[in-house]
Amino acid sequence: MSRSTALLFLILLSLLTSTAVCLTCYNCVFPIVSPLDCQPYPKKCAVGERCLYSTATAKMESKQYVLIEKSCATPSACGVTREKRVAGLVFTFTTRCCDTDLCNSASMSTYAAPCWSRTALSLVCMALISLLASE
């Protein structure tokens, strides 16, 4: 294999690994009423999906109810504020999304590190490209 072919191969490999999808999000089977939190389990998302964290609030007399949901979602479900009726209550919900592994933890104020295997592979490929180019 010639040096230019090897260099091209490494560049393509680097580009492919840096765009690979390996997003894992927390998922709750059922929405949970706050202040309780669901028992989330990590779930691999489908290609193109992001991690979603949603809160829905409703008032009945002097009581306020808050539902929490965590899941994978398509980008069209992100940044949405709407109303839905559940058990006779009208909930106003807001969805927020993020795109790093397990970033939809408790309140999405803490973000998990990205998929390190993808990042590490990209860095190694870039280092090899630099070494081959300097020869």
Side-chain angles (χ1 to χ4, degrees), residues 44-100:
K44 277 281 193 206
C45 295
V47 174
E49 288 186 325
R50 302 178 71 199
C51 296
L52 175 131
Y53 178 84
S54 175
T55 55
T57 58
K59 278 189 143 184
M60 179 182 231
E61 299 170 8
S62 63
K63 292 185 180 182
Q64 181 170 336
Y65 301 92
V66 179
L67 298 178
I68 299 169
E69 182 181 356
K70 298 173 188 179
S71 64
C72 296
T74 60
S76 63
C78 301
V80 174
T81 300
R82 293 199 179 118
E83 290 185 348
K84 63 181 169 183
R85 189 172 291 277
V86 177
L89 298 170
V90 177
F91 284 88
T92 301
F93 70 93
T94 303
T95 60
R96 294 181 300 274
C97 293
C98 53
D99 56 6
T100 57

